[in-house]
Structure formats: C-alpha cells, structure tokens
Coordinates of all heavy atoms in Angstrom, one line a residue:
M15 N 25.5 169.2 184.1 CA 26.1 169.0 182.8 C 27.3 169.9 182.7 O 28.3 169.5 182.2 CB 25.1 169.2 181.8 CG 25.7 169.2 180.4 SD 25.1 167.8 179.6 CE 25.9 168.0 178.0
S16 N 27.2 171.2 183.1 CA 28.3 172.2 182.9 C 29.5 171.8 183.8 O 30.6 172.0 183.5 CB 27.8 173.5 183.2 OG 27.5 173.7 184.6
S17 N 29.2 171.1 185.0 CA 30.3 170.8 185.9 C 31.1 169.7 185.2 O 32.3 169.6 185.3 CB 29.9 170.3 187.2 OG 29.0 169.2 187.1
Q18 N 30.5 168.8 184.4 CA 31.2 167.7 183.7 C 32.1 168.3 182.7 O 33.2 167.8 182.4 CB 30.2 166.7 183.2 CG 30.9 165.5 182.5 CD 29.9 164.5 182.0 OE1 28.7 164.8 181.8 NE2 30.4 163.3 181.8
I19 N 31.6 169.3 182.0 CA 32.4 169.9 180.9 C 33.6 170.7 181.5 O 34.7 170.5 181.0 CB 31.5 170.9 180.1 CG1 30.5 170.2 179.3 CG2 32.4 171.7 179.1 CD1 29.5 171.0 178.7
N20 N 33.4 171.3 182.6 CA 34.5 172.0 183.3 C 35.6 171.0 183.8 O 36.8 171.2 183.7 CB 34.0 172.8 184.5 CG 33.3 174.0 184.0 OD1 33.5 174.4 182.8 ND2 32.5 174.5 184.8
T21 N 35.1 169.8 184.3 CA 36.0 168.8 184.7 C 36.9 168.2 183.6 O 38.1 168.1 183.7 CB 35.3 167.6 185.4 OG1 34.5 168.1 186.4 CG2 36.2 166.6 185.9
N22 N 36.3 168.0 182.4 CA 37.0 167.6 181.3 C 38.0 168.6 180.8 O 39.1 168.3 180.4 CB 36.1 167.2 180.1 CG 35.3 166.0 180.4 OD1 35.7 165.1 181.1 ND2 34.1 165.9 179.7
L23 N 37.7 169.8 180.8 CA 38.6 170.9 180.5 C 39.8 171.0 181.5 O 40.9 171.2 181.0 CB 37.9 172.3 180.4 CG 37.0 172.5 179.3 CD1 36.3 173.8 179.4 CD2 37.7 172.4 177.9
D24 N 39.5 170.8 182.7 CA 40.6 170.8 183.7 C 41.5 169.7 183.5 O 42.8 169.8 183.7 CB 40.0 170.8 185.1 CG 39.3 172.0 185.5 OD1 39.5 173.1 184.9 OD2 38.4 171.9 186.5
K25 N 41.0 168.5 183.1 CA 41.9 167.4 182.9 C 42.8 167.6 181.7 O 44.0 167.3 181.6 CB 41.1 166.1 182.7 CG 40.5 165.6 184.0 CD 39.7 164.3 183.7 CE 39.0 163.8 184.9 NZ 38.2 162.7 184.7
R26 N 42.2 168.3 180.6 CA 43.0 168.5 179.4 C 44.0 169.6 179.6 O 45.1 169.5 179.0 CB 42.0 168.9 178.3 CG 42.6 169.0 176.9 CD 41.6 169.3 175.9 NE 40.3 169.7 176.4 CZ 39.4 170.3 175.8 NH1 39.5 170.5 174.5 NH2 38.3 170.7 176.3
D27 N 43.8 170.5 180.5 CA 44.7 171.6 180.7 C 45.5 171.4 182.0 O 46.0 172.4 182.6 CB 44.0 173.0 180.8 CG 43.4 173.4 179.4 OD1 44.0 172.9 178.4 OD2 42.4 174.1 179.4
S28 N 45.7 170.2 182.4 CA 46.4 169.9 183.6 C 48.0 170.3 183.4 O 48.4 170.4 182.3 CB 46.3 168.4 184.1 OG 47.0 167.6 183.2
L29 N 48.6 170.4 184.5 CA 50.1 170.7 184.4 C 50.9 169.6 183.6 O 51.7 169.9 182.8 CB 50.6 170.9 185.9 CG 52.1 171.3 185.9 CD1 52.4 172.6 185.2 CD2 52.5 171.3 187.3
F30 N 50.5 168.3 184.0 CA 51.2 167.3 183.2 C 51.0 167.4 181.7 O 52.0 167.2 181.0 CB 50.6 165.9 183.7 CG 51.2 164.7 183.0 CD1 52.4 164.2 183.4 CD2 50.5 164.2 181.9 CE1 52.9 163.1 182.7 CE2 51.1 163.1 181.2 CZ 52.3 162.5 181.6
N31 N 49.8 167.7 181.3 CA 49.5 167.8 179.8 C 50.3 168.9 179.2 O 50.8 168.8 178.1 CB 48.0 167.9 179.6 CG 47.3 166.6 179.8 OD1 47.9 165.5 179.8 ND2 46.0 166.7 180.1
R32 N 50.4 170.1 179.9 CA 51.1 171.2 179.3 C 52.5 171.0 179.3 O 53.2 171.5 178.4 CB 50.7 172.5 180.2 CG 49.4 173.0 179.9 CD 49.2 174.4 180.6 NE 48.8 174.0 182.0 CZ 48.9 174.9 182.9 NH1 49.3 176.1 182.7 NH2 48.5 174.6 184.2
I33 N 53.1 170.2 180.2 CA 54.5 169.9 180.2 C 54.9 168.9 179.1 O 55.9 169.0 178.4 CB 55.0 169.5 181.6 CG1 54.9 170.6 182.6 CG2 56.4 168.9 181.6 CD1 55.2 170.3 184.0
F34 N 54.1 167.8 179.1 CA 54.6 166.6 178.3 C 53.8 166.3 177.0 O 54.2 165.6 176.2 CB 54.6 165.3 179.2 CG 55.5 165.4 180.3 CD1 55.1 165.5 181.6 CD2 56.9 165.2 180.1 CE1 56.0 165.6 182.6 CE2 57.7 165.3 181.1 CZ 57.3 165.4 182.4
R35 N 52.7 167.0 176.7 CA 51.9 166.7 175.5 C 52.2 167.8 174.5 O 52.4 168.9 174.8 CB 50.4 166.6 175.9 CG 50.2 165.4 176.7 CD 48.6 165.1 176.7 NE 48.3 164.0 177.6 CZ 48.3 162.8 177.4 NH1 48.6 162.4 176.1 NH2 48.0 161.9 178.2
D36 N 52.1 167.4 173.2 CA 52.2 168.3 172.2 C 50.8 168.8 171.8 O 49.9 168.6 172.4 CB 53.0 167.8 170.9 CG 52.2 166.6 170.3 OD1 51.1 166.2 170.7 OD2 52.8 166.0 169.3
S37 N 50.7 169.6 170.7 CA 49.4 170.2 170.3 C 48.4 169.2 169.9 O 47.2 169.4 169.8 CB 49.7 171.2 169.2 OG 50.2 170.6 168.1
E38 N 48.9 168.0 169.4 CA 48.0 166.9 169.0 C 47.6 166.0 170.2 O 46.8 165.0 170.0 CB 48.6 166.1 167.9 CG 48.9 166.9 166.7 CD 49.6 166.1 165.6 OE1 49.9 165.0 165.8 OE2 49.8 166.7 164.5
G39 N 48.1 166.2 171.4 CA 47.8 165.3 172.5 C 48.8 164.2 172.7 O 48.5 163.4 173.7
N40 N 49.8 164.1 171.9 CA 50.7 163.0 172.1 C 51.7 163.4 173.2 O 52.2 164.5 173.3 CB 51.5 162.7 170.8 CG 50.5 162.3 169.7 OD1 49.6 161.6 170.0 ND2 50.8 162.8 168.5
I41 N 52.2 162.4 174.0 CA 53.2 162.6 175.0 C 54.5 162.6 174.3 O 54.9 161.6 173.6 CB 53.1 161.6 176.1 CG1 51.9 161.8 176.9 CG2 54.4 161.7 177.0 CD1 51.7 160.8 178.0
V42 N 55.3 163.7 174.4 CA 56.6 163.8 173.6 C 57.7 164.1 174.7 O 57.7 165.1 175.2 CB 56.5 164.9 172.6 CG1 57.9 165.0 171.9 CG2 55.4 164.6 171.6
I43 N 58.5 163.1 174.9 CA 59.7 163.3 175.8 C 60.9 163.2 175.0 O 61.9 164.0 175.0 CB 59.7 162.2 176.9 CG1 58.4 162.5 177.8 CG2 60.9 162.3 177.7 CD1 58.2 161.5 178.9
A44 N 61.0 162.1 174.1 CA 62.2 162.0 173.3 C 61.6 161.7 171.8 O 60.5 161.3 171.6 CB 62.9 160.7 173.6
Q45 N 62.5 162.1 170.9 CA 62.1 161.9 169.5 C 63.4 161.5 168.7 O 64.5 161.6 169.3 CB 61.5 163.1 168.9 CG 62.3 164.4 169.0 CD 61.6 165.6 168.7 OE1 60.4 165.7 168.9 NE2 62.2 166.6 168.1
L46 N 63.2 161.2 167.5 CA 64.4 160.9 166.7 C 65.2 162.2 166.5 O 64.6 163.3 166.4 CB 64.0 160.4 165.2 CG 63.4 159.0 165.2 CD1 62.9 158.8 163.7 CD2 64.4 158.0 165.6
P47 N 66.5 162.1 166.6 CA 67.4 163.3 166.5 C 67.2 164.0 165.2 O 67.2 163.4 164.1 CB 68.8 162.8 166.7 CG 68.7 161.4 167.2 CD 67.3 160.9 166.8
N48 N 67.2 165.4 165.2 CA 67.2 166.1 164.0 C 68.6 166.4 163.5 O 69.6 165.9 164.2 CB 66.4 167.4 164.2 CG 66.9 168.2 165.3 OD1 67.9 168.0 165.9 ND2 66.1 169.2 165.7
L49 N 68.8 167.0 162.5 CA 70.1 167.2 161.8 C 71.1 167.9 162.7 O 72.3 167.3 162.9 CB 70.0 167.9 160.5 CG 71.3 167.9 159.6 CD1 71.7 166.5 159.3 CD2 71.0 168.7 158.3
P50 N 70.8 169.0 163.4 CA 71.8 169.6 164.3 C 72.2 168.7 165.4 O 73.4 168.7 165.8 CB 71.1 170.9 164.8 CG 70.1 171.2 163.8 CD 69.6 169.9 163.2
A51 N 71.3 168.0 166.0 CA 71.6 167.1 167.1 C 72.5 165.9 166.6 O 73.5 165.6 167.3 CB 70.4 166.5 167.7
T52 N 72.3 165.4 165.5 CA 73.1 164.3 164.9 C 74.5 164.8 164.6 O 75.5 164.1 165.0 CB 72.4 163.7 163.7 OG1 71.1 163.3 164.0 CG2 73.2 162.5 163.1
I53 N 74.6 165.9 163.9 CA 75.9 166.4 163.5 C 76.7 166.8 164.7 O 77.9 166.6 164.9 CB 75.8 167.6 162.5 CG1 75.2 167.0 161.2 CG2 77.1 168.2 162.3 CD1 74.9 168.1 160.2
G54 N 76.1 167.5 165.7 CA 76.7 167.9 166.9 C 77.2 166.8 167.7 O 78.3 166.8 168.3
T55 N 76.5 165.7 167.8 CA 76.9 164.6 168.6 C 78.1 163.9 167.9 O 79.1 163.5 168.6 CB 75.8 163.6 168.8 OG1 74.7 164.2 169.4 CG2 76.2 162.3 169.6
A56 N 78.0 163.7 166.6 CA 79.1 163.1 165.9 C 80.4 163.9 165.9 O 81.5 163.4 166.1 CB 78.7 162.9 164.4
A57 N 80.2 165.2 165.8 CA 81.4 166.1 165.8 C 82.0 166.1 167.2 O 83.2 166.2 167.4 CB 81.0 167.5 165.4
T58 N 81.2 166.1 168.2 CA 81.7 166.1 169.6 C 82.4 164.8 169.9 O 83.5 164.8 170.5 CB 80.6 166.3 170.6 OG1 79.9 167.5 170.3 CG2 81.1 166.4 172.0
L59 N 81.9 163.7 169.5 CA 82.6 162.4 169.6 C 83.9 162.4 168.9 O 84.9 161.9 169.4 CB 81.7 161.3 169.1 CG 80.5 160.9 170.0 CD1 79.6 159.9 169.4 CD2 80.9 160.5 171.4
L60 N 84.0 163.0 167.6 CA 85.2 163.1 166.9 C 86.2 164.0 167.6 O 87.4 163.7 167.7 CB 84.9 163.6 165.5 CG 86.2 163.8 164.6 CD1 86.8 162.5 164.4 CD2 85.7 164.5 163.3
H61 N 85.7 165.0 168.3 CA 86.6 165.9 169.0 C 87.2 165.2 170.3 O 88.4 165.4 170.5 CB 85.8 167.1 169.5 CG 86.6 168.1 170.3 ND1 87.6 168.9 169.8 CD2 86.6 168.3 171.7 CE1 88.2 169.6 170.7 NE2 87.6 169.3 171.9
F62 N 86.5 164.3 170.9 CA 87.0 163.6 172.0 C 88.0 162.5 171.5 O 88.9 162.1 172.2 CB 86.0 162.9 172.8 CG 85.3 163.9 173.8 CD1 83.9 164.1 173.6 CD2 86.0 164.6 174.7 CE1 83.3 165.1 174.4 CE2 85.4 165.5 175.5 CZ 84.1 165.8 175.4
V63 N 87.8 161.9 170.3 CA 88.8 161.0 169.7 C 90.1 161.7 169.3 O 91.2 161.1 169.6 CB 88.1 160.2 168.5 CG1 89.1 159.3 167.9 CG2 87.0 159.4 169.1
A64 N 90.0 162.8 168.6 CA 91.2 163.5 168.1 C 91.1 165.0 168.6 O 90.7 165.8 167.8 CB 91.2 163.4 166.6
P65 N 91.5 165.2 169.9 CA 91.3 166.6 170.4 C 92.3 167.6 169.9 O 92.1 168.8 170.0 CB 91.4 166.4 171.9 CG 92.2 165.2 172.1 CD 92.0 164.3 170.9
N66 N 93.4 167.2 169.3 CA 94.5 168.1 168.9 C 94.5 168.2 167.4 O 94.0 167.4 166.7 CB 95.9 167.5 169.4 CG 95.9 167.4 170.9 OD1 95.3 168.2 171.7 ND2 96.6 166.4 171.4
G67 N 95.1 169.3 167.0 CA 95.3 169.6 165.6 C 94.1 170.3 164.9 O 93.1 170.6 165.6
A68 N 94.1 170.4 163.6 CA 93.1 171.0 162.9 C 91.7 170.2 163.0 O 90.7 170.9 163.2 CB 93.4 171.2 161.5
I69 N 91.8 169.0 163.0 CA 90.5 168.2 163.1 C 89.9 168.4 164.4 O 88.7 168.5 164.6 CB 90.9 166.7 162.8 CG1 91.3 166.5 161.3 CG2 89.7 165.8 163.2 CD1 91.7 165.0 161.0
G70 N 90.7 168.4 165.5 CA 90.1 168.6 166.8 C 89.5 170.0 167.0 O 88.4 170.1 167.6
I71 N 90.2 171.0 166.5 CA 89.6 172.3 166.6 C 88.4 172.5 165.8 O 87.3 173.0 166.2 CB 90.7 173.4 166.1 CG1 91.8 173.4 167.1 CG2 90.0 174.8 166.0 CD1 93.0 174.3 166.7
L72 N 88.4 172.0 164.5 CA 87.2 172.0 163.6 C 86.0 171.2 164.2 O 84.9 171.7 164.3 CB 87.6 171.6 162.2 CG 86.5 171.6 161.2 CD1 86.0 173.1 161.0 CD2 86.9 171.1 159.9
S73 N 86.3 170.1 164.6 CA 85.2 169.2 165.2 C 84.6 169.8 166.5 O 83.4 169.8 166.7 CB 85.7 167.8 165.4 OG 86.7 167.8 166.4
G74 N 85.5 170.4 167.3 CA 85.0 171.1 168.5 C 84.1 172.3 168.2 O 83.0 172.4 168.8
L75 N 84.5 173.1 167.2 CA 83.7 174.2 166.8 C 82.4 173.8 166.1 O 81.3 174.4 166.4 CB 84.5 175.1 165.9 CG 85.6 175.9 166.5 CD1 86.4 176.7 165.5 CD2 85.1 176.9 167.6
V76 N 82.5 172.8 165.3 CA 81.2 172.4 164.6 C 80.3 171.7 165.6 O 79.1 171.9 165.6 CB 81.6 171.3 163.5 CG1 80.3 170.6 163.0 CG2 82.3 172.1 162.3
G77 N 80.9 170.9 166.5 CA 80.0 170.3 167.6 C 79.3 171.3 168.5 O 78.1 171.2 168.7
F78 N 80.1 172.3 168.9 CA 79.5 173.4 169.7 C 78.5 174.2 169.0 O 77.4 174.4 169.5 CB 80.6 174.3 170.2 CG 80.1 175.4 171.1 CD1 79.9 175.1 172.5 CD2 79.8 176.6 170.6 CE1 79.4 176.1 173.3 CE2 79.3 177.7 171.5 CZ 79.1 177.4 172.8
G79 N 78.8 174.5 167.8 CA 77.8 175.3 167.0 C 76.5 174.6 166.7 O 75.4 175.2 166.8
T80 N 76.6 173.4 166.3 CA 75.4 172.6 166.0 C 74.6 172.2 167.2 O 73.3 172.3 167.2 CB 75.7 171.4 165.1 OG1 76.7 170.6 165.8 CG2 76.2 171.7 163.8
L81 N 75.2 171.9 168.3 CA 74.5 171.7 169.5 C 73.9 173.0 170.1 O 72.8 172.9 170.6 CB 75.4 171.1 170.6 CG 75.8 169.5 170.3 CD1 76.8 169.1 171.3 CD2 74.6 168.7 170.2
Y82 N 74.5 174.0 169.9 CA 74.0 175.3 170.3 C 72.7 175.7 169.4 O 71.7 176.0 170.0 CB 75.0 176.5 170.1 CG 74.5 177.8 170.6 CD1 74.7 178.2 171.9 CD2 73.9 178.7 169.7 CE1 74.3 179.5 172.3 CE2 73.5 179.9 170.0 CZ 73.7 180.3 171.4 OH 73.2 181.5 171.7
T83 N 72.8 175.4 168.2 CA 71.7 175.6 167.3 C 70.5 174.7 167.6 O 69.4 175.1 167.7 CB 72.1 175.3 165.8 OG1 73.2 176.1 165.5 CG2 70.9 175.4 164.9
W84 N 70.8 173.4 168.0 CA 69.8 172.5 168.4 C 69.1 173.0 169.7 O 67.9 173.0 169.8 CB 70.4 171.0 168.7 CG 69.4 170.1 169.2 CD1 68.4 169.5 168.7 CD2 69.3 169.8 170.7 NE1 67.7 168.7 169.6 CE2 68.2 169.0 170.8 CE3 70.0 170.2 171.8 CZ2 67.8 168.5 172.0 CZ3 69.6 169.7 173.0 CH2 68.5 168.9 173.1
A85 N 69.9 173.4 170.7 CA 69.4 173.8 172.0 C 68.5 175.1 171.7 O 67.4 175.3 172.3 CB 70.5 174.1 172.9
W86 N 68.9 176.0 170.9 CA 68.2 177.2 170.6 C 66.9 176.8 169.9 O 65.7 177.4 170.3 CB 69.0 178.1 169.7 CG 68.4 179.4 169.3 CD1 67.6 179.7 168.3 CD2 68.5 180.6 170.1 NE1 67.2 181.0 168.4 CE2 67.7 181.6 169.5 CE3 69.2 180.9 171.3 CZ2 67.6 182.9 170.0 CZ3 69.1 182.2 171.8 CH2 68.3 183.2 171.1
L87 N 66.9 175.9 169.0 CA 65.6 175.5 168.3 C 64.7 174.9 169.3 O 63.5 175.1 169.3 CB 66.0 174.6 167.2 CG 66.6 175.1 165.9 CD1 67.0 174.1 164.9 CD2 65.6 176.1 165.3
E88 N 65.2 174.0 170.2 CA 64.3 173.4 171.2 C 63.7 174.4 172.1 O 62.6 174.3 172.5 CB 65.1 172.4 172.0 CG 65.3 171.1 171.3 CD 64.1 170.3 171.0 OE1 63.0 170.4 171.7 OE2 64.1 169.5 170.0
L89 N 64.6 175.4 172.5 CA 64.1 176.4 173.5 C 62.9 177.2 172.9 O 61.9 177.5 173.5 CB 65.2 177.3 173.8 CG 64.9 178.5 174.8 CD1 64.3 178.0 176.1 CD2 66.1 179.3 175.0
F90 N 63.0 177.6 171.6 CA 62.0 178.5 171.0 C 61.0 177.8 170.1 O 60.0 178.4 169.8 CB 62.7 179.6 170.2 CG 63.4 180.6 171.2 CD1 64.7 180.5 171.3 CD2 62.7 181.5 171.9 CE1 65.4 181.4 172.2 CE2 63.2 182.3 172.8 CZ 64.7 182.3 172.9
S91 N 61.3 176.5 169.7 CA 60.3 175.8 168.9 C 59.9 174.4 169.4 O 59.4 173.6 168.7 CB 60.9 175.6 167.4 OG 61.3 176.9 166.9
G92 N 60.3 174.1 170.6 CA 59.9 172.9 171.2 C 58.4 172.6 171.3 O 57.6 173.5 171.4
V93 N 58.0 171.4 171.2 CA 56.6 171.0 171.1 C 55.9 171.1 172.4 O 54.7 171.1 172.5 CB 56.4 169.6 170.4 CG1 56.9 169.6 169.0 CG2 57.1 168.6 171.3
N94 N 56.6 171.1 173.5 CA 56.0 171.2 174.8 C 57.0 171.8 175.8 O 58.1 172.1 175.5 CB 55.5 169.8 175.3 CG 56.6 168.7 175.4 OD1 57.8 169.1 175.5 ND2 56.2 167.5 175.2
Y95 N 56.6 172.0 177.0 CA 57.4 172.7 178.0 C 58.6 171.8 178.4 O 59.6 172.4 178.7 CB 56.6 173.1 179.3 CG 55.6 174.2 179.1 CD1 54.4 174.2 179.7 CD2 55.9 175.2 178.2 CE1 53.5 175.2 179.6 CE2 55.0 176.2 178.0 CZ 53.8 176.2 178.7 OH 52.9 177.2 178.5
F96 N 58.5 170.5 178.4 CA 59.6 169.7 178.7 C 60.7 169.8 177.7 O 61.9 170.0 178.0 CB 59.2 168.2 178.7 CG 60.3 167.2 179.0 CD1 60.8 167.1 180.2 CD2 60.9 166.5 177.9 CE1 61.9 166.2 180.4 CE2 61.9 165.6 178.1 CZ 62.4 165.5 179.4
R97 N 60.4 169.8 176.4 CA 61.4 170.0 175.3 C 61.9 171.4 175.4 O 63.1 171.6 175.1 CB 60.8 169.7 174.0 CG 60.2 168.4 173.8 CD 61.2 167.3 173.8 NE 62.1 167.5 172.7 CZ 63.0 166.6 172.3 NH1 63.2 165.6 173.0 NH2 63.8 166.9 171.3
K98 N 61.2 172.4 175.7 CA 61.7 173.8 175.8 C 62.6 173.9 177.0 O 63.7 174.5 177.0 CB 60.6 174.8 175.9 CG 59.8 174.9 174.6 CD 58.6 175.9 174.8 CE 57.9 175.9 173.5 NZ 57.0 177.1 173.3
G99 N 62.3 173.2 178.1 CA 63.1 173.2 179.3 C 64.4 172.4 179.0 O 65.5 172.9 179.4
L100 N 64.4 171.4 178.2 CA 65.6 170.7 177.8 C 66.5 171.5 177.0 O 67.7 171.5 177.1 CB 65.1 169.4 177.0 CG 66.3 168.5 176.5 CD1 67.0 167.9 177.7 CD2 65.7 167.4 175.6
G101 N 65.9 172.3 176.1 CA 66.7 173.3 175.3 C 67.3 174.4 176.2 O 68.5 174.7 175.9
L102 N 66.6 174.8 177.1 CA 67.2 175.9 178.0 C 68.3 175.3 178.9 O 69.4 175.9 178.9 CB 66.1 176.4 179.0 CG 66.5 177.5 180.0 CD1 67.0 178.7 179.3 CD2 65.4 177.7 180.9
V103 N 68.1 174.1 179.4 CA 69.2 173.5 180.2 C 70.4 173.3 179.3 O 71.6 173.5 179.8 CB 68.7 172.2 180.9 CG1 69.8 171.4 181.5 CG2 67.7 172.6 182.0
S104 N 70.2 172.8 178.2 CA 71.3 172.5 177.3 C 72.0 173.7 176.8 O 73.3 173.8 176.7 CB 70.8 171.8 176.0 OG 70.2 170.5 176.3
L105 N 71.3 174.8 176.5 CA 71.9 176.1 176.1 C 72.7 176.6 177.2 O 73.8 177.0 177.0 CB 70.8 177.0 175.8 CG 71.1 178.3 175.0 CD1 71.8 177.9 173.7 CD2 70.0 179.1 174.7
V106 N 72.2 176.6 178.5 CA 72.9 177.1 179.6 C 74.2 176.3 179.8 O 75.3 176.8 180.1 CB 72.1 177.2 180.9 CG1 72.9 177.4 182.1 CG2 71.0 178.2 180.7
G107 N 74.1 174.9 179.7 CA 75.2 174.1 179.9 C 76.3 174.3 178.9 O 77.5 174.3 179.1
L108 N 75.8 174.4 177.5 CA 76.8 174.7 176.5 C 77.5 176.0 176.7 O 78.7 176.1 176.5 CB 76.1 174.7 175.1 CG 75.8 173.3 174.6 CD1 74.8 173.5 173.4 CD2 77.0 172.6 174.2
L109 N 76.8 177.0 177.1 CA 77.4 178.4 177.4 C 78.4 178.3 178.5 O 79.5 178.9 178.5 CB 76.4 179.5 177.6 CG 75.5 179.9 176.4 CD1 74.4 180.8 176.8 CD2 76.4 180.4 175.3
A110 N 78.1 177.6 179.6 CA 79.0 177.4 180.7 C 80.2 176.6 180.2 O 81.3 176.9 180.6 CB 78.3 176.7 181.9
L111 N 80.0 175.6 179.5 CA 81.1 174.7 179.0 C 82.0 175.6 178.1 O 83.2 175.5 178.2 CB 80.6 173.5 178.3 CG 81.7 172.6 177.7 CD1 82.5 171.9 178.8 CD2 81.0 171.5 176.8
G112 N 81.4 176.3 177.2 CA 82.2 177.2 176.2 C 83.0 178.2 177.0 O 84.1 178.5 176.6
Y113 N 82.4 178.8 178.0 CA 83.1 179.8 178.8 C 84.3 179.2 179.5 O 85.3 179.7 179.6 CB 82.1 180.4 179.8 CG 82.8 181.4 180.7 CD1 83.2 182.7 180.2 CD2 83.1 181.1 182.0 CE1 83.8 183.6 181.0 CE2 83.7 182.0 182.8 CZ 84.1 183.3 182.4 OH 84.7 184.1 183.1
S114 N 84.1 178.0 180.1 CA 85.2 177.4 180.9 C 86.3 176.9 179.9 O 87.5 176.9 180.3 CB 84.6 176.3 181.7 OG 84.2 175.2 180.9
L115 N 85.9 176.5 178.7 CA 87.0 176.0 177.8 C 87.7 177.1 177.1 O 88.9 177.0 176.8 CB 86.4 175.1 176.7 CG 85.8 173.7 177.3 CD1 85.2 173.0 176.1 CD2 87.0 172.9 177.9
F116 N 87.0 178.2 176.8 CA 87.6 179.2 175.9 C 87.8 180.6 176.6 O 87.9 181.5 176.0 CB 86.7 179.5 174.6 CG 86.5 178.3 173.8 CD1 85.3 177.6 173.7 CD2 87.6 177.7 173.2 CE1 85.2 176.4 172.9 CE2 87.5 176.5 172.4 CZ 86.3 175.9 172.3
R117 N 87.7 180.6 178.0 CA 87.9 181.9 178.6 C 89.4 182.5 178.4 O 90.3 181.6 178.3 CB 87.6 181.8 180.1 CG 88.5 181.0 180.9 CD 88.1 180.9 182.3 NE 88.5 179.6 182.8 CZ 88.3 179.2 184.0 NH1 87.6 179.9 184.8 NH2 88.8 178.1 184.4
L118 N 89.5 183.7 178.3 CA 90.8 184.3 178.0 C 91.6 184.5 179.3 O 91.2 184.9 180.3 CB 90.5 185.6 177.3 CG 89.8 185.4 176.0 CD1 89.5 186.9 175.4 CD2 90.6 184.6 175.0

C-alpha cells in the first residue's frame, strides 16, 4: 500500500508537472495577456509604424517599459517554471535589445 502512495506522489511531483502545471494542477503555457503585455505590444507596434519623432520615441519607451514590467512580473510571479523561464528569456532579450539600441 505504501508503495502505491509513493508512486502517486512521484507522478504528481514529476518534472513535467513542476514545469507546466500551476498550483491547482492546470497546465498553463499561454494565457490571456495582462495589461502590461497588451500595452507593450500595442506601443511596440506603434513604434514600428511611426519610428521617428515624438510619437516614435514615446511609443518605444512605453513599449520597452511595459514589456520589461511584464517580463519582471512573469519571472518573479509566474505560475509555473515555464512562465518564469519565459519571463527570464524575455527580460534578457529586452535588456540585450535595449543595450544594442541605446548604447552610447
């Protein structure tokens, strides 16, 4: 009987479950975008449409700031390791992009 209980615990704590499941047991890979992700995507698209002038500068800064905020929130408040990893990769990518665009 105890071996059956240990087998069930092993299945629940498997690597797959720790990476892709949230605390309620649901598999979470994608979800509806939250406010920073939505604003960041819209501002970045606006920046690519109008890259010059005040609108381009403002939309680039707003896009970078809100996507940075989204990545930070995912990294430290993500529901599973996949979402936290997505936040880490996005944060590193945004920092590399910001460095390449704004280096002195």
Side-chain angles (χ1 to χ4, degrees):
M15 174 115 180
S16 64
S17 63
Q18 186 179 16
I19 292 172
N20 291 338
T21 305
N22 290 338
L23 288 176
D24 291 339
K25 287 179 183 177
R26 192 174 11 164
D27 291 335
S28 70
L29 182 62
F30 177 83
N31 288 339
R32 283 187 280 161
I33 292 174
F34 295 109
R35 292 193 189 272
D36 64 2
S37 62
E38 297 176 359
N40 300 321
I41 294 178
V42 179
I43 296 174
Q45 60 190 32
L46 290 174
N48 54 13
L49 189 60
T52 304
I53 292 172
T55 303
T58 302
L59 290 175
L60 180 62
H61 178 72
F62 284 120
V63 171
N66 299 326
I69 292 177
I71 293 171
L72 182 63
S73 63
L75 290 173
V76 168
F78 181 83
T80 54
L81 288 175
Y82 183 90
T83 302
W84 171 81
W86 184 269
L87 288 171
E88 283 295 333
L89 178 60
F90 290 104
S91 300
V93 295
N94 55 29
Y95 289 146
F96 177 78
R97 299 294 297 186
K98 290 179 182 197
L100 182 65
L102 178 64
V103 168
S104 300
L105 194 62
V106 169
L108 281 168
L109 290 175
L111 178 66
Y113 176 75
S114 68
L115 292 177
F116 299 113
R117 69 181 151 183
L118 300 173

